[in-house]
Amino acid sequence: MNLKTKYITIISIIGLFLYSCSIRKYIPENERLYTGATIEIDADSTVQNLEDLKSELETVLRPEPNSKFLGVRPGLYFYYKNQKEKPGFINRWLFKQVGEKPVYQSDVETFEVEEILRNRLENNGFFYSTASSSFEEKEIEASATYNLKVPKPYTMASFQLDSMPLPIENDVKQVTNNAAFQETKRFDLSNMKLERQRIDSELKKKGYYNFNPDFFIFQADTNQYNNKRFDLFLKLKAEVPKKALVPYIIKQVNIYPNHDLQDSTRATPERFNEKNYIQDSLFFKPKYLDKFITLEEEEFYNPQTSKNTARRLSTIGAYKYVNIQYKEIDSALTDSLGALEANIFLSPLTKRALRTELQAVTKSNNFTGPNLALTYSNRNLFKGGETLNLSTNVGYETQFGSGENAGLSSLEVGLKGELIFPRVISPFNINDDFFEYSIPKTKTSLGVTFLNRSKLYSLLSGNALFGYVWNANRYITYELNPISVNYTSLSNTTEEFQEILDDNPFLQRSFDQQFISGLTFSFTYNGMVDAKDPNQFYVNSTLDVAGNSISLFGQEKNAGEPKEFLGLEYAQYAKADIDARFHLNFGKNREQTIATRLFAGYGLAYGNSDVIPFVKQYFSGGPYSVRAFRIRSLGPGTYDEDADPDSDGTFFDQTGNIRLEANIEYRFPIFSFFKGAVFADAGNVWNSVANPTFEDEDGTAPDKFTSNFINELGMGAGFGLRVDVQGFVIRFDLAAPFHDPSLPEGQRWDFKADEPVLNFAIGYSF
């Protein structure tokens, strides 16, 4: 052991000793800290899976001792510190985060635990087991040991169904053919409870509206055997209601498309597709609403069908509440069948709505300014659940400071119209039954944006989209846009910006291709919808292909030059990326999270293009990326804008056709709706084909992607504050780089804590 290791060991021992002393003085006289319990099992030789049994028994040990971290109990320590008359702010805060009330030996009721252990063993078929306990006591600590004697378990000889009245007997027989009970299977009470619930669930699907799993009882008979075997019988309890023993069919389906909770009037029903649509005046056309309703007359009641109907109706976007109620038709009840009336009450959202958003935008490139967005919505526009959204946004940014960047400003004005149909609109027929979980929505939109960057250029862009979005299940969403058109027009370029384009043909080409026509497809798996799940996973993958179909109509104006469509040069490229995230939630109420993210994207220009259009390229850096670098300033590769004699620092959005990023963040509560975070980010963008403009004097291409990409990642770390009010998050992140790829090798690893970047954003970064 070297001298340094010895010192570390000595210091660690001293630290633990001091900690023990600080805890010791708080422990009351004649008390010992409870450190936990162990189970010792003396089992019969026939007992199998002993370790699994032991693990199950350990879950009932009570109480749980104070938690440990690296051999110490910080929760207990800060509890004691907080008992002082003036504990101080830091101790109070740490106690709230990790503090734990001490658990003493006197808190352990061993006789109660012994009883619970015997009961759990009997539930697993180990009848006539015995349990005893003892304490192992030290100076300030005590632990418990439970000794269990486990005999041979009782095993099943046969499983039989007791006689029941018809028709339920036949249905129960059919369901129990797939029962989990097998001969020689050990007695297990928990399995019996699960089996009752399974049978009840299957009976509900067969129409047994009034049945309950508690109507069943399992009985074990050992009288026929003397070797710990038993016959298991499934019976109905006495005095089960008659109406619980017959299936129910739906005799009538009534839909109220414009239900007012305060209005009990009943209008004359309109009969459509064997359903009654009841509305005072035409609010929702039955032919469109009917597709969302899976309940059918003369079919057996099925709670799953009811849930499917409620879910599908909720996705329309026109209703605030969906309430499905069943009413028994007592006069139709017989010895073998019952009848129900299904009433679907739909409460509409407000038809027209106006939403205003005012954002104070502060970017990490020193640009700051307000952004105003207005959105007008008109729901159920054509009485078929359609939603019209008209939105406009105005944003102004300016860059404060001195030098060449002072006075730069950006003005953006946008208009967008979006019409959403809650059904498939297609030139060919698509069977709605193909989409079991939800009916796809058809989305159409038109938009135009004007961007003016002072001292640089103006950019007019328009876009049109036609596509579909649908949920395959609770977690998976697909979006397909077979028509996606973008048009951009660069104008009012200043002499300074024109010089940039003249010196950088690569950048010039990315602006030349004004017309983009193609399709996009995305797949999303969102496990974040399970808010209580400690392990949450999310992945989004997108494919963007442009120019293939339009190339059939393209014309070559001049030999050797790109083709044009309607007089406009069009782009051809394929672009694919994936965004994967994992959240580990832990701590009290799972308020602490370790969030991770990986992003990878690649774009390939081909055919009519030798570079991807500027608006489709990747960038790195900024509040949703690598936060230690200002927005769009990282890369490409090892490119250094400050060292580029052709760059004046006023414009360059540093982009590429390859992007890799990784992020990790620890999130924790501070107080009320204030939350904190500590994070680290890494990433960069590259070009698969080198931009000649970036070439160094020795001819190397700093922007080109190579096998050395790991050493070209920009890396940074920092901490942040979040104001989280019911899901609306305002985020402040302060980060500094510790690996800058733009610097020469050997100088890149340098934590520049004195050069932090402040990021302001709305919402979490990932």
Side-chain angles (χ1 to χ4, degrees):
M1 181 182 294
N2 59 38
L3 186 61
K4 183 179 179 181
T5 305
K6 288 182 179 179
Y7 281 138
I8 294 175
T9 303
I10 293 172
I11 291 173
S12 300
I13 293 173
I14 293 173
L16 289 173
F17 174 75
L18 293 175
Y19 164 81
S20 300
C21 292
S22 64
I23 292 293
R24 182 193 303 268
K25 65 183 179 181
Y26 292 111
I27 299 176
E29 189 176 356
N30 299 324
E31 280 286 12
R32 295 180 176 86
L33 286 177
Y34 176 63
T35 60
T38 57
I39 294 178
E40 300 293 337
I41 299 179
D42 179 13
D44 186 88
S45 59
T46 60
V47 177
Q48 300 177 353
N49 302 321
L50 194 59
E51 288 302 317
D52 293 340
L53 176 64
K54 185 176 181 180
S55 297
E56 181 182 349
L57 294 173
E58 287 174 345
T59 62
V60 304
L61 296 178
R62 297 291 184 271
E64 294 185 6
N66 294 111
S67 58
K68 280 187 175 183
F69 179 73
L70 299 179
V72 297
R73 298 182 177 88
L76 185 59
Y77 175 78
F78 290 112
Y79 171 85
Y80 286 134
K81 296 288 287 185
N82 198 58
Q83 303 308 304
K84 291 183 177 181
E85 185 176 348
K86 295 182 179 180
F89 171 77
I90 298 298
N91 284 327
R92 286 198 303 270
W93 182 78
L94 289 170
F95 167 71
K96 187 175 181 180
Q97 300 304 312
V98 300
E100 295 178 344
K101 186 178 179 180
V103 181
Y104 297 120
Q105 179 181 358
S106 60
D107 296 323
V108 184
E109 302 290 346
T110 55
F111 292 105
E112 292 183 3
V113 177
E114 290 172 15
E115 181 64 28
I116 294 173
L117 289 170
R118 283 193 294 268
N119 180 263
R120 184 59 61 92
L121 286 169
E122 289 181 355
N123 290 346
N124 281 274
F126 301 102
F127 294 95
Y128 309 111
S129 298
T130 61
S132 61
S133 61
S134 61
F135 279 108
E136 181 182 349
E137 299 176 343
K138 297 181 181 179
E139 185 178 358
I140 63 170
E141 296 180 344
S143 61
T145 300
Y146 294 94
N147 296 286
L148 307 178
K149 188 171 182 61
V150 180
K152 177 182 176 181
Y154 277 74
T155 55
M156 188 175 68
S158 66
F159 172 59
Q160 302 175 40
L161 189 67
D162 202 10
S163 61
M164 300 178 184
L166 295 175
I168 195 172
E169 182 178 22
N170 292 334
D171 288 319
V172 173
K173 281 182 179 180
Q174 185 178 359
V175 172
T176 53
N177 285 336
N178 300 320
F181 300 121
Q182 300 174 359
E183 292 185 9
T184 72
K185 193 173 183 67
R186 190 186 63 190
F187 180 94
D188 192 326
L189 184 61
S190 62
N191 277 349
M192 295 179 191
K193 292 180 178 179
L194 291 174
E195 180 64 9
R196 286 198 315 179
Q197 294 173 0
R198 187 189 73 85
I199 296 173
D200 173 69
S201 177
E202 293 300 319
L203 289 176
K204 286 287 197 305
K205 295 176 183 178
K206 293 177 177 291
Y208 287 85
Y209 175 74
N210 287 307
F211 200 78
N212 189 299
D214 291 334
F215 292 158
F216 281 128
I217 185 173
F218 280 104
Q219 289 185 349
D221 183 6
T222 61
N223 292 328
Q224 306 297 322
Y225 310 97
N226 56 9
N227 58 348
K228 294 193 173 183
R229 304 288 300 280
F230 66 91
D231 293 323
L232 187 65
F233 296 88
L234 177 63
K235 298 183 176 182
L236 283 173
K237 292 181 179 179
E239 300 181 355
V240 176
K242 173 186 174 182
K243 63 181 182 179
L245 302 178
V246 296
Y248 280 70
I249 63 170
I250 299 174
K251 277 292 184 181
Q252 199 172 54
V253 179
N254 302 318
I255 300 102
Y256 298 83
N258 189 18
H259 177 63
D260 187 341
L261 297 178
Q262 298 177 346
D263 184 6
S264 59
T265 60
R266 295 177 65 92
T268 302
E270 176 185 352
R271 192 73 174 166
F272 181 83
N273 197 19
E274 304 302 319
K275 302 179 188 70
N276 298 320
Y277 288 84
I278 305 169
Q279 45 190 335
D280 292 329
S281 57
L282 184 61
F283 177 78
F284 204 122
K285 296 177 181 178
K287 68 176 181 178
Y288 292 135
L289 190 58
D290 190 74
K291 297 177 182 294
F292 294 88
I293 299 170
T294 56
L295 297 178
E296 299 288 346
E297 293 183 358
E298 300 302 326
E299 287 190 355
F300 282 106
Y301 161 80
N302 187 335
Q304 190 60 48
T305 306
S306 185
K307 290 179 181 178
N308 290 343
T309 296
R311 184 189 63 250
R312 289 161 70 105
L313 288 169
S314 298
T315 63
I316 294 176
Y319 290 110
K320 179 168 49 176
Y321 301 114
V322 176
N323 184 14
I324 301 179
Q325 298 179 4
Y326 291 93
K327 181 181 178 181
E328 295 181 48
I329 304 175
D330 295 333
S331 59
L333 179 64
T334 68
D335 292 337
S336 59
L337 194 65
L340 294 172
E341 177 185 274
N343 295 295
I344 304 176
F345 300 102
L346 304 175
S347 301
L349 287 162
T350 304
K351 182 173 178 58
R352 297 177 179 84
L354 182 65
R355 185 174 69 251
T356 304
E357 292 181 352
L358 178 62
Q359 299 178 355
V361 180
T362 301
K363 294 184 177 178
S364 53
N365 58 355
N366 296 326
F367 274 83
T368 184
N371 185 80
L372 177 66
L374 296 173
T375 301
Y376 166 79
S377 297
N378 190 329
R379 302 183 179 97
N380 198 31
L381 183 62
F382 305 123
K383 304 186 184 304
E386 305 84 3
T387 300
L388 173 66
N389 295 319
L390 299 175
S391 60
T392 180
N393 69 283
V394 179
Y396 178 79
E397 302 172 3
T398 186
Q399 191 167 36
F400 294 103
S402 59
E404 296 177 342
N405 294 345
L408 286 177
S409 64
S410 173
L411 174 66
E412 182 176 0
V413 180
L415 295 171
K416 182 180 179 181
E418 181 182 56
L419 185 58
I420 303 174
F421 299 86
R423 54 188 175 274
V424 178
I425 297 178
S426 171
F428 47 87
N429 186 40
I430 297 178
N431 189 348
D432 290 333
D433 294 337
F434 177 76
F435 304 97
E436 295 183 5
Y437 189 80
S438 66
I439 295 177
K441 292 184 177 181
T442 302
K443 299 176 66 176
T444 62
S445 68
L446 288 171
V448 61
T449 301
F450 173 77
L451 174 65
N452 179 64
R453 285 193 171 186
S454 67
K455 302 181 183 180
L456 295 172
Y457 63 88
S458 296
L459 190 69
L460 180 66
S461 61
N463 61 79
L465 182 142
F466 178 88
Y468 311 98
V469 58
W470 72 97
N471 296 321
N473 53 45
R474 185 165 176 256
Y475 305 101
I476 295 176
T477 300
Y478 296 101
E479 183 168 356
L480 172 65
N481 299 311
I483 300 176
S484 176
V485 179
N486 288 268
Y487 167 79
T488 59
S489 176
L490 184 67
S491 62
N492 298 328
T493 56
T494 63
E495 293 182 3
E496 293 86 353
F497 183 65
Q498 190 60 52
E499 289 180 7
I500 293 175
L501 295 181
D502 293 340
D503 294 336
N504 192 336
F506 202 83
L507 182 63
Q508 173 73 61
R509 291 287 301 128
S510 70
F511 278 103
D512 282 345
Q513 296 187 326
Q514 301 170 306
F515 190 69
I516 304 172
S517 175
L519 66 85
T520 62
F521 174 78
S522 71
F523 163 86
T524 301
Y525 174 87
N526 185 14
M528 307 290 180
V529 296
D530 287 332
K532 296 182 180 180
D533 192 342
N535 303 296
Q536 297 175 316
F537 184 69
Y538 169 95
V539 62
N540 172 261
S541 182
T542 302
L543 176 66
D544 183 355
V545 180
N548 286 353
S549 58
I550 208 69
S551 65
L552 300 175
F553 308 98
Q555 296 180 348
E556 191 175 50
K557 188 174 182 180
N558 297 311
E561 293 186 0
K563 295 180 180 180
E564 296 181 354
F565 175 74
L566 300 178
L568 298 173
E569 186 177 323
Y570 61 89
Q572 275 188 286
Y573 66 86
K575 181 182 172 186
D577 49 53
I578 184 169
D579 184 349
R581 308 172 188 181
F582 175 74
H583 289 186
L584 175 63
N585 305 306
F586 61 97
K588 293 181 180 179
N589 301 319
R590 296 191 177 129
E591 291 181 333
Q592 301 179 65
T593 300
I594 294 178
T596 61
R597 170 178 171 264
L598 288 173
F599 181 93
Y602 177 75
L604 174 66
Y606 61 91
N608 212 43
S609 303
D610 52 17
V611 60
I612 293 178
F614 183 78
V615 295
K616 294 292 185 177
Q617 293 184 19
Y618 295 113
F619 69 87
S620 189
Y624 299 95
S625 181
V626 184
R627 287 162 279 188
F629 296 82
R630 59 184 176 86
I631 193 168
R632 299 174 180 256
S633 70
L634 183 54
T638 60
Y639 170 73
D640 182 7
E641 183 183 12
D642 295 333
D644 188 350
D646 296 325
S647 174
D648 61 5
T650 61
F651 163 75
F652 223 107
D653 286 346
Q654 293 158 221
T655 60
N657 70 308
I658 298 174
R659 178 185 173 195
L660 295 174
E661 281 186 5
N663 314 77
I664 185 169
E665 183 170 289
Y666 168 54
R667 300 169 183 169
F668 54 89
I670 298 177
F671 174 74
S672 185
F673 44 76
F674 291 98
K675 298 182 179 181
V678 179
F679 58 84
D681 306 317
N684 207 337
V685 294
W686 295 265
N687 286 314
S688 57
V689 178
N691 184 346
T693 307
F694 292 155
E695 285 188 3
D696 296 333
E697 294 180 357
D698 59 359
T700 59
D703 64 313
K704 187 175 182 181
F705 184 82
T706 67
S707 58
N708 193 41
F709 71 93
I710 289 292
N711 296 318
E712 298 176 356
L713 293 173
M715 305 180 192
F719 59 92
L721 175 69
R722 289 90 170 88
V723 184
D724 188 343
V725 183
Q726 296 183 344
F728 179 78
V729 179
I730 300 175
R731 176 165 55 91
F732 301 90
D733 288 326
L734 188 66
F738 60 82
H739 185 267
D740 189 344
S742 68
L743 298 175
E745 290 191 60
Q747 301 178 26
R748 296 175 182 173
W749 291 100
D750 181 14
F751 186 45
K752 299 179 181 178
D754 58 337
E755 300 179 16
V757 175
L758 177 63
N759 296 269
F760 168 78
I762 304 296
Y764 287 108
S765 51
F766 55 91

